[in-house]
Amino acid sequence: MKPTAPVVGVGGATTPPPMAMAMESSTTITDILKTPKFVKFTAIAILSFSLVFLVSHLSSSPFSSFSFNYSSLTPQTSPQLSPPPPPPPPLSPPPSPPPAVRRTGIIDETGAMSDEFFVGDSGFNSTSGVTEFGDEEEEKKDTSDGEARVKFEKFKVCEKGKVDYIPCLDNEEAIKLFNKSEKGEKYERHCPGKDKALDCVVPRPEGYQRPIPWPQSRDEVWFSNVPHTRLVEDKGGQNWISIKKDKFIFPGGGTQFIHGADQYLNQISQMVPEISFGHHIRVALDIGCGVASFGAFLLQRNVTTLSIAPKDVHENQIQFALERGVPAMVAVFATHRLLYPSQAFDLIHCSRCRINWTRDDGILLLEANRMLRAGGYFVWAAQPVYKHEEILQEQWKEMEDLTTRICWELVKKEGYIAIWRKPLNNSCYLYRDSEASPALCDPDDNTDNVWYVDLKACITQLPENGYGSNVSTWPARLHYPPYRLQSIEMDAQISRKEIFRAESKYWNEIIFSYIRAFRWKEMKLRNVMDMRAGLGGFAAALHDLHIDCWVMNVVPVSGFNTLPVIYDRGLIGVIHD
């Protein structure tokens, strides 16, 4: 082989031949592999890979689990132990405990009353307690899941002429029987028989719109929702009501307070400072209310006023009140007791209410006396108070004489307003002449029994224990169990206060969940009816949770009469069927 000539580079530099370069490179790699540093690095790498493999193998084994323990690194000098004895055979499992008892009352396991309770199921299925309305038509069809469908026939809509129809107040046959009577029987309830019951749905007024929300509704409502102009024609000049474009406007006046209800209420407060609206006076009754401006303006003073009027020639006045969002109800002083308990109202108001209080031995004023709370006030604004015509002065003398005989104190007479106060106890009644008129009612008479009970021309005696007169001031009375709770008829005897508090707690929790789940505060609720009010816990919860509404608490005739407790709490309600 010929020797390879050296390669001469640019500039005369000599480059070694390729074979010489390869031999030199091989010698260098061998020297590196023999260095101590490389040997140490290789040993550490092999040890690391071995540890990783060992850990992975042990942790993936189904029969062992790997845990690192520093104590295992130190040598153990303890002697070898004998293997443990085999475990004893497993014992038979104990019997399962009986199912826990779900308490549905408010009696704890010791038998004591408690407000910690569980609300159980109703005890009947969802259809067994439903009242059936009208005729129903069933159509059963087999479906893919094996269930049957039931179709119910819908009610038809009544003719437009029944837009304001109230079955028990618009019974034409009964009204004809009492047309000539002067006692007002035609304005009382006369329900038609089952064969003449309404078989259609009362229609809404044509053009009905969603009501204007409170508090704006106090001052204006849609004309199309209550399309009646009779009150505008009769009372427009007295600042009651007017029409502006597509709305009714309520300036806040009345026949006796044409300058506005606020000024009128201020005058009453100045006449008798003890009438502290919103504290001592919480529940009021406005008789012959018109469009209910008296009650509407009392709401801003924390007074709930029930406005009542008959369905007469001004048949729409209660509808105006309800459309405004003011508590109201069709009712009349005639021949039957009104559907409210004794000692219900802290104040009763009559402004030109067109009631002859002294007729028939004062039977109508005695009904007002029954409903007026001990120590409560009767406010009368009428022409006999301030006019000097002979016939009007005679009416004033008769009223003055009657109120004296029933032990009312004339607290103040100023301008066109007279204010009386009812006594706090029976002492005045007992010191009257034995032959004084009107006589005292029979002590056995249940003054809270009002469903179709005739009026009685006698003085309702007050409870000797002071029940009814000793209520707390507002707002404390809403949650303080009233003393009359002990006197009403109900199942419980010694646990009534606990039931009262438990009902309040229950409804607070329920309403709170409704507010969160159904967004009740966004619904702008205003006129609310509780169809089975109990002790009023539902209405109290709405107040506590700041739902700006009022509640008509209905106590069914078929149950216990809890209405006195509802009124003692500062709420309103009615007993009904």
Side-chain angles (χ1 to χ4, degrees), residues 3 10 39 68 115 124 135 235 292 339 349 361-362 413 424 446 458 476 520 530 564:
V10 180
V39 173
F68 189 81
D115 61 1
F124 53 86
D135 295 330
K235 305 293 183 180
L339 304 179
H349 173 253
D361 299 323
K413 179 186 177 187
L424 285 166
N446 183 356
C458 59
W520 271 21
D530 184 359

Side-chain angles (χ1 to χ4, degrees), residues 272-329:
V272 183
E274 290 78 9
I275 298 179
S276 52
F277 291 121
H279 297 283
H280 291 97
I281 304 300
R282 165 60 188 174
V283 184
L285 179 70
D286 186 19
I287 303 167
C289 63
V291 293
S293 288
F294 179 80
F297 281 83
L298 270 176
L299 283 168
Q300 65 193 22
R301 304 185 186 218
N302 277 330
V303 177
T304 299
T305 304
L306 180 58
S307 301
I308 63 170
K311 190 176 182 184
D312 54 12
V313 291
H314 301 125
E315 62 182 16
N316 47 312
Q317 52 190 326
I318 292 300
Q319 190 62 40
F320 275 124
L322 294 173
E323 189 70 22
R324 295 177 74 182
V326 179
M329 181 177 177

